Amino acid sequence: MILDIKNVSKNFGGIKALKNINFSVKKGSIHALIGPNGAGKTTLMNIISGIEKMDSGDIYFKGFSIKDKPPYKRAEMGLARTFQNLELFGNLTVLENVIVGMYLKNQRGFLSSGIMLRGINREIVDKSLSILEYIKLSHRQKEIAKNLPVGEQRLLEVGRALATEPELILLDEPAAGLNMRETKNLSQLIQKIRDEKGITILIVEHDMELVMGISDLITVLNFGEVIAEGEPLMIQKNPHVISAYLGED
Amino acid sequence: MTKGNAIAVLLLGILVILFPQLTTDNYILTIAIFIGINALVAIGLTILMGYAGQISLGQAGFYGIGAYISAILSLYLGLPVLLSMIIAIAIASITAVVLAIPSLRLKGHYLAVATLGFGEIIHIILHEWGPGGPSGFGDIPPLSIFGYILHSTLEYFYLIWLCIIVIMIFSLNLINSMTGKALRAIHDSEIASLTLGINITKLKIKVFVLSAVYAALAGALYAHYVTFLSPSGFSLFYSVLVLMMVVIGGISNIWGGIAGALIITILPEVLRGFKEFDILVYGMILTLSLLFMRKGIVPLIIETYKRWISK
């Protein structure tokens, strides 16, 4: 198991956003987290990446508790993510966005940065270019990120996450706002990342065709609780899940 | 460093070398020295504001620490001037760390508030406990580098502008490096930067310390050039003046620090002709330039130039 969520709870004021969440993500798998709006999926993603704090419980990444670690330490350990509400570096170029993703493995002190004449070396640029090729955005490398269409911005977020050389990527609704062709490309990319790079994927997504097509295991959240877990075919037939999505009758 | 910046540094170097050929007027050289001293402080604040997104209203405090400590160590303890300057800069940077750690861990403009208080505290300390109190003290030893004592205005002109060229090269390299990219990234999205493994707080503290080092260096140079110090030059007014230089020069480009220092330092001299109305005209020029050149002069020039080229 690469990620273990243990009894995680979170309240916002009086609202219980997450109640005793327990599940584990297997190394090398594509694991989906689904549920109706307001089920607590994004909250859980924020807690795993360290942007929000949980009220109780613990999270283990590669067997180590990361509860008290700030987000940048979790990134150092090999955890990367994308954002539902796109958090690109809008004023930087597409290439620079990926270059910043490589900061983790290439950081330098102030003094050596100031004395160095070459700035960012060829190796970093080449690596970033090859990532852009991998996500098929090479032709956009010089554009300012905020000028890209949403579909390409989502791809760039994936590319930037890849640049940190992670072991686990959290994808928060990567298909939101994409058309059918883009969604198909995205699902191929996600599988390619897992198959070729061996990176584990935890994905939150509303597009059921995408989720059912690529996931090894699905965890279903509703009103902050896990109501079901299993393989895609089992989840599709699960009466709890059906009633959560269609409403009780 | 990018090609454009390298050419600009080269041109600045040539200008510095040639400038004394154009004029031998000591008055003009003196003003050029003060432009340089102010530019050092302004470059530091430009990096802090433009690249770390933080505002400091206490640069006068670091400027004062640099000036007073270097002067006191060399005058009363008899330390070599160069050593006194280094110690003064070190003390300013330690002060910056102590100030930055609590205020930069919080979100928002706590640093602005903390530095405002800090600057005032330094000013009061200099006023109450500095040598000579409010009237200040003189006889500060002039700059000497490995036994060579600088006397003439021309020598100070060259030294100070050499400092600026070195600091510009350092700063431009920094901004063009991975660290510089990370700083720009923080500006666009703090959350994304954090999840990419960038320790935002640490980087912001470092930039703040850098700005304090530049200010303290400027203060120490000032002390040994003028050889007389009084607290009046190290008040909130000076911090605001530097802020003004940065905003007018353009916070998104560190050349703005030099341009802003040039304008703000020259303006009162040029406006002498207006006699008692000089403050009025000064205020009007500043207000109008803020209204019509929001981004500052240097970014405006670059944009105009690019538009002109593409036509």
Side-chain angles (χ1 to χ4, degrees):
Chain A
M1 291 299 161
I2 192 163
L3 188 73
D4 292 288
I5 314 282
K6 302 257 187 223
N7 299 315
V8 168
S9 296
K10 173 79 183 176
N11 299 326
F12 289 114
I15 298 159
K16 288 188 168 128
L18 296 171
K19 289 173 250 178
N20 268 327
I21 303 289
N22 280 291
F23 73 91
S24 297
V25 177
K26 204 175 142 203
K27 192 171 164 49
S29 67
I30 296 177
H31 192 126
L33 193 60
I34 65 170
N37 284 324
K41 304 174 305 273
T42 293
T43 304
L44 188 56
M45 288 298 227
N46 286 344
I47 286 173
I48 297 170
S49 57
I51 289 161
E52 279 181 56
K53 290 212 176 340
M54 60 191 115
D55 294 334
S56 61
D58 208 340
I59 294 176
Y60 294 87
F61 179 50
K62 299 192 285 185
F64 299 99
S65 167
I66 54 170
K67 188 173 62 175
D68 300 319
K69 291 202 188 304
Y72 67 87
K73 287 266 183 207
R74 299 181 195 202
E76 266 173 39
M77 291 176 74
L79 186 67
R81 72 167 289 180
T82 68
F83 295 87
Q84 183 189 346
N85 308 317
L86 293 167
E87 291 279 352
L88 282 175
F89 305 126
N91 296 308
L92 271 59
T93 65
V94 169
L95 180 62
E96 283 175 322
N97 266 275
V98 179
I99 289 177
V100 173
M102 308 201 56
Y103 174 86
L104 193 54
K105 297 263 156 46
N106 297 285
Q107 45 185 317
R108 284 215 169 71
F110 259 45
L111 276 180
S112 61
S113 306
I115 292 164
M116 230 181 15
L117 281 166
R118 272 194 310 166
I120 290 159
N121 66 37
R122 196 66 233 172
E123 193 191 335
I124 294 175
V125 176
D126 286 345
K127 259 189 178 173
S128 304
L129 285 172
S130 72
I131 287 172
L132 283 181
E133 211 160 293
Y134 197 79
I135 59 170
K136 301 200 172 86
L137 271 187
S138 303
H139 58 294
R140 295 286 206 185
Q141 53 165 298
K142 289 198 173 117
E143 292 218 36
I144 299 295
K146 66 181 170 198
N147 297 339
L148 295 186
V150 174
E152 295 186 335
Q153 291 200 16
R154 293 215 180 273
L155 279 181
L156 183 54
E157 283 224 342
V158 176
R160 190 178 63 181
L162 282 176
T164 65
E165 298 174 27
E167 290 176 53
L168 170 65
I169 298 185
L170 313 176
L171 300 173
D172 195 356
E173 295 199 23
L178 302 197
N179 62 32
M180 268 171 68
R181 191 176 50 84
E182 287 172 326
T183 306
K184 201 167 160 240
N185 287 341
L186 178 77
S187 89
Q188 283 169 354
L189 176 66
I190 294 170
Q191 283 174 304
K192 204 166 85 163
I193 290 171
R194 192 269 306 268
D195 296 344
E196 292 179 8
K197 294 184 185 280
I199 297 171
T200 312
I201 310 269
L202 176 59
I203 177 173
V204 165
E205 187 46 65
H206 280 297
D207 187 319
M208 282 310 137
E209 207 184 312
L210 172 70
V211 168
M212 296 304 165
I214 62 173
S215 308
D216 298 312
L217 205 66
I218 298 174
T219 302
V220 189
L221 281 187
N222 194 23
F223 292 116
E225 284 178 293
V226 175
I227 57 166
E229 186 169 273
E231 288 165 15
L233 280 175
M234 284 166 59
I235 292 296
Q236 279 170 326
K237 290 178 193 149
N238 187 311
H240 294 293
V241 178
I242 293 166
S243 72
Y245 271 93
L246 301 177
E248 310 258 358
D249 201 19
Chain B
M1 212 187 314
T2 58
K3 220 178 249 171
N5 278 322
I7 293 169
V9 170
L10 200 68
L11 287 178
L12 177 66
I14 294 170
L15 185 67
V16 168
I17 294 168
L18 290 183
F19 189 73
Q21 312 294 324
L22 302 173
T23 175
T24 47
D25 190 343
N26 258 348
Y27 166 69
I28 292 177
L29 278 182
T30 307
I31 290 176
I33 288 173
F34 285 122
I35 293 170
I37 289 172
N38 289 333
L40 280 178
V41 189
I43 293 166
L45 190 61
T46 308
I47 300 175
L48 183 68
M49 285 174 64
Y51 286 82
Q54 296 291 323
I55 293 175
S56 164
L57 288 168
Q59 292 312 93
F62 298 115
Y63 185 55
I65 288 178
Y68 265 73
I69 290 186
S70 185
I72 289 168
L73 290 179
S74 55
L75 178 61
Y76 295 110
L77 298 182
L79 293 184
V81 172
L82 211 54
L83 182 64
S84 313
M85 287 176 70
I86 291 168
I87 296 175
I89 291 167
I91 291 175
S93 44
I94 293 165
T95 317
V97 174
V98 172
L99 198 61
I101 288 176
S103 39
L104 283 177
R105 288 182 69 152
L106 302 166
K107 270 196 175 164
H109 285 302
Y110 288 91
L111 189 71
V113 182
T115 49
L116 179 67
F118 159 76
E120 279 308 278
I121 290 168
I122 295 294
H123 185 224
I124 291 168
I125 290 175
L126 300 183
H127 204 273
E128 299 299 320
W129 295 323
S135 42
F137 65 115
D139 292 330
I140 299 162
L143 244 169
S144 63
I145 298 160
F146 305 118
Y148 180 80
I149 300 171
L150 277 77
H151 286 292
S152 69
T153 312
L154 186 63
E155 286 170 323
Y156 277 96
F157 170 83
Y158 278 131
L159 177 85
I160 282 166
W161 280 92
L162 179 70
C163 284
I164 290 182
I165 289 172
V166 170
I167 288 224
M168 277 310 279
I169 293 173
F170 183 88
S171 310
L172 289 167
N173 279 341
L174 180 71
I175 281 163
N176 206 35
S177 73
M178 193 56 127
T179 312
K181 289 266 190 292
L183 285 170
R184 284 177 59 204
I186 293 173
H187 223 46
D188 280 354
S189 169
E190 294 212 351
I191 286 183
S193 310
L194 272 174
T195 60
L196 292 179
I198 299 172
N199 186 343
I200 292 181
T201 312
K202 204 167 127 192
L203 268 189
K204 283 183 181 169
I205 291 173
K206 283 184 171 180
V207 177
F208 182 59
V209 172
L210 190 77
S211 80
V213 166
Y214 289 3
L217 171 67
L221 288 168
Y222 174 83
H224 297 288
Y225 168 61
V226 179
T227 69
F228 171 84
L229 289 177
S230 77
S232 62
F234 306 96
S235 64
L236 175 64
F237 181 72
Y238 185 74
S239 297
V240 175
L241 215 59
V242 177
L243 193 69
M244 218 56 206
M245 294 173 198
V246 171
V247 173
I248 290 204
I251 74 167
S252 61
N253 190 311
I254 56 172
W255 289 98
I258 296 182
L262 178 82
I263 292 163
I264 299 284
T265 316
I266 287 184
L267 213 49
E269 307 294 331
V270 178
L271 296 180
R272 287 252 164 104
F274 289 92
K275 300 220 168 74
E276 62 267 40
F277 297 109
D278 63 342
I279 293 280
L280 192 71
V281 180
Y282 187 70
M284 261 173 56
I285 292 176
L286 295 189
T287 313
L288 290 176
S289 52
L290 284 186
L291 275 174
F292 296 109
M293 304 188 301
R294 291 266 171 85
K295 288 180 176 173
I297 284 176
V298 171
L300 190 77
I301 291 172
I302 293 174
E303 270 174 30
T304 318
Y305 174 75
K306 276 188 181 159
R307 225 177 296 144
W308 186 69
I309 282 276
S310 65
K311 260 181 193 172

